[in-house]
Amino acid sequence: MSIHLILFLMFGAVALAGAINLLAQTHPINSALSLIAVMAALAGEYLLLGAEFVAAVQVIVYAGAIMVLFVFTIMLLNAGVEERTKGSRVAVLIGIPGMLLGSLLVAWVLLRHSGTEAVAAGALPGAPKVIAPLLFHEFLLPFEITSILILIAIMGAVVLASKPTVTGGSPQKAQEEKVNQ
Amino acid sequence: MVPLSYYLLLSGILFACGVTGFLIKRNIITIFMSIELMLNGVNLSFVAFAAHWHALAGQVFVFFVMVVAAAESAVGLAIIIAVHRTRETLNVDQVNLLKL
């Protein structure tokens, strides 16, 4: 058993435990923290594959920025423990066997037909120095388009999350505000 | 040396966990986090294939997926705040005006 396989299994176990914990927890903040654990473990997997830049961005953007946004929203909305509602019985009766069957099929196909050749750890350098020419020459147009996407997303977020004005908001709300005043 | 199929299996399991969370969770924020989990599962398979085929473009795609995820989470969380402001609940079962 090589050190790479041991490290893969270690990070994979952490990622898996985090993903299952995300499903098991009822409070959103616990789910958010386990999602951060999943993302950190995945950054370890990326490092194992030699993708240094992606691993760094994973920690900075995903585990850092995006999850801070989530935790901030949970705090802002004072989200409490989730109320469980009963799903339909048919979904449980058909869904769980179907899901098991599907996952077994996928696992069988992957293990049987995707070849046993190993991924050489670190064989492909993913340092920023190697990524940058690709990003700024070959993928320059998509890169610029994503900047427009981000701009639109920022404007959309500001418009959606800003407090509705008295004229723009629902009449009921406006009336309530008037009564309060 | 780790076989490619192990990475793909882990990625598939993470994606399946995301789908399951999306279906069974009732809190709108947790549903949103399940979507992020799905995106992470896909990213892992991108990086594994990039290393397998010696194609750096796979890692650039991960970068783009992250950008789209960031934009999506910014807009989505703003929508969640707007929903909470108007309906005063985070339970998706109570947001049912469009339901038959």
Side-chain angles (χ1 to χ4, degrees):
Chain A
M1 210 182 212
S2 67
I3 183 76
H4 286 138
L5 188 57
I6 293 170
L7 281 173
F8 168 82
L9 291 176
M10 220 170 71
F11 287 127
V14 172
L16 214 58
I20 290 167
N21 195 40
L22 190 152
L23 298 181
Q25 295 290 339
T26 51
H27 201 286
I29 195 78
N30 295 339
S31 297
L33 291 177
S34 47
L35 189 56
I36 292 174
V38 173
M39 285 164 175
L42 280 181
E45 300 275 13
Y46 295 157
L47 270 185
L48 214 57
L49 284 164
E52 299 161 25
F53 176 69
V54 173
V57 171
Q58 168 91 2
V59 171
I60 294 168
V61 173
Y62 249 134
I66 294 182
M67 289 319 291
V68 164
L69 210 59
F70 270 95
V71 173
F72 191 78
T73 310
I74 293 170
M75 181 208 75
L76 193 68
L77 301 184
N78 196 17
V81 174
E82 139 189 83
E83 310 138 32
R84 292 269 160 116
T85 39
K86 267 203 152 169
S88 70
R89 197 151 290 279
V90 183
V92 176
L93 279 179
I94 300 176
I96 290 176
M99 192 193 73
L100 281 177
L101 204 70
S103 49
L104 277 180
L105 194 72
V106 169
W108 182 75
V109 166
L110 282 181
L111 288 174
R112 198 66 189 274
H113 293 287
S114 77
T116 50
E117 68 261 54
V119 175
L124 186 70
K129 203 175 173 184
V130 198
I131 298 275
L134 207 59
L135 196 59
F136 292 115
H137 281 283
E138 220 173 309
F139 293 98
L140 184 61
L141 183 64
F143 182 78
E144 296 296 341
I145 291 172
T146 51
S147 66
I148 297 171
L149 175 76
I150 287 279
L151 192 66
I152 295 170
I154 291 170
M155 290 191 293
V158 169
V159 168
L160 281 170
S162 62
K163 263 215 151 56
T165 54
V166 179
T167 48
S170 63
Q172 200 189 347
K173 278 268 169 179
Q175 231 168 24
E176 277 172 18
E177 275 175 16
K178 256 184 212 164
V179 169
N180 287 341
Q181 280 165 7
Chain B
M1 293 293 162
V2 185
L4 174 68
S5 50
Y6 287 14
Y7 283 106
L8 296 183
L9 266 185
L10 179 62
S11 144
I13 291 170
L14 286 180
F15 190 88
C17 280
V19 173
T20 313
F22 186 84
L23 292 177
I24 68 168
K25 283 294 184 180
R26 284 289 153 259
N27 189 310
I28 193 165
I29 298 177
T30 321
I31 288 175
F32 213 64
M33 283 193 273
S34 305
I35 298 175
E36 298 292 327
L37 188 60
M38 280 191 259
L39 287 170
N40 270 282
V42 173
N43 277 353
L44 180 63
S45 66
F46 261 132
V47 176
F49 274 124
H52 186 246
W53 298 112
H54 291 275
L56 267 176
Q59 297 185 7
V60 179
F61 287 159
V62 173
F63 178 74
F64 286 130
V65 169
M66 280 177 187
V67 171
V68 172
E72 171 233 333
S73 70
V75 174
L77 288 171
I79 291 174
I80 289 174
I81 289 174
V83 165
H84 184 262
R85 188 175 290 144
T86 51
R87 311 282 303 182
E88 274 157 15
T89 180
L90 287 174
N91 192 337
V92 286
D93 282 334
Q94 290 171 25
V95 186
N96 54 2
L97 275 181
L98 280 176
K99 220 173 174 181
L100 275 176

